[in-house]
Amino acid sequence: MPIEYKILKIFQLILSFLFKYDFGAPVWRIRIDTSAGRLALEVRDSDLLLAYFYTLDCQSHTLLKLELAEKHTWWLGLEDARQGMVYLHGYGDRKLGQHKGIRTLSANTGEEQWHRPGLTFYGIEDTGLLAHDAALPEEPLQLLDLRTGEVLQKGISQKMAADRVEAYSRERYSQVGYPILYREGEEYFEQVRDFLAQQLDCEPIKAVEYAETDNGLVISYYVANEKNKLDNFLAVFDLNGFLHLNELLAGGLNGVGSDTFFIFMRSLYFVQNQISLKAYSLNFIVTT
């Protein structure tokens, strides 16, 4: 429950800047490979009609651009990342945006591992990757080996596939901290708004995103600017209510978003001004 805690000890937050990568075009999608401690990113430049794909090692903070042979990368997209592999899709019907094809790249080298052009990615479960025939989306699915693309099982029903992906999703992302969205008018929004108003002397509106770490609070909030647009800020507090970060994520917005940040491997990640991936470490020490 937001903003309800009891201080038993004094905590000192060590908030350290880790990196900022500017891509020069909007970061369209991020997938977290919790098994390998990596991120996969899709960046789309609508002016050049090009898509770029990257992986980030969350231990060394090393960014790798995945080089592809295709010139028309706009017609590729990021599906997921798991076990040090990145899964991309193509498009069968570009007008409808129908995904077709599964291409698998190594997150360490960018080298292609396997390609199944006739299949469509469905999701990942604990023993492999679920896919269906691109031409027969209502037919039973098949299970593929994540690293080789070899068929491990056929005849998997739509319901069984959905249940497997949902169950595994809870497991694989259990160590990732995603914020909860509270909209204006909801009880928890009012609590967080009042806390921010007291701590920052501001008037949050529309929505907030809220997450708790072991010993701190991370809040994404919106305030109206002089042009009657929304400015989105990200604030980090320790459990004593001390502010350690209050940074502009994006300004001049027409509406609110969701998943404006996440916490992984004790680090806070967010996209700033749509084009920059930024991260801080979140470490706390007990001082008394």
Side-chain angles (χ1 to χ4, degrees), residues 127-161:
T127 58
L129 183 154
L130 290 160
H132 61 77
D133 189 318
L136 302 168
E138 301 303 320
E139 293 297 311
L141 291 85
Q142 51 190 289
L143 180 69
L144 308 180
D145 185 278
L146 285 168
R147 294 190 170 277
T148 67
E150 177 187 356
V151 178
L152 302 177
Q153 183 182 355
K154 292 184 176 181
I156 302 169
S157 70
Q158 296 277 343
K159 184 180 185 309
M160 182 178 294

Side-chain angles (χ1 to χ4, degrees), residues 21-62:
Y21 288 113
D22 294 314
F23 296 99
V27 178
W28 192 258
R29 187 171 286 111
I30 298 175
R31 293 290 182 262
I32 306 173
D33 183 351
T34 55
S35 61
R38 285 182 170 271
L39 306 183
L41 301 95
E42 176 183 346
V43 176
R44 301 189 77 82
D45 189 328
S46 58
D47 293 330
L48 300 177
L49 292 181
L50 290 174
Y52 306 95
F53 304 94
Y54 300 84
T55 65
L56 175 78
D57 186 318
C58 296
Q59 291 276 14
S60 65
H61 314 133
T62 303

Side-chain angles (χ1 to χ4, degrees), residues 253-273:
L253 303 174
N254 293 317
V256 302
S258 61
D259 293 336
T260 53
F261 67 90
F262 63 89
I263 300 165
F264 179 50
M265 294 175 63
R266 302 192 67 82
S267 296
L268 172 65
Y269 293 87
F270 56 90
V271 175
Q272 192 170 46
N273 297 318

Side-chain angles (χ1 to χ4, degrees), residues 120-135:
T120 294
F121 179 97
Y122 180 83
I124 291 177
E125 53 121 276
D126 62 344
T127 58
L129 183 154
L130 290 160
H132 61 77
D133 189 318

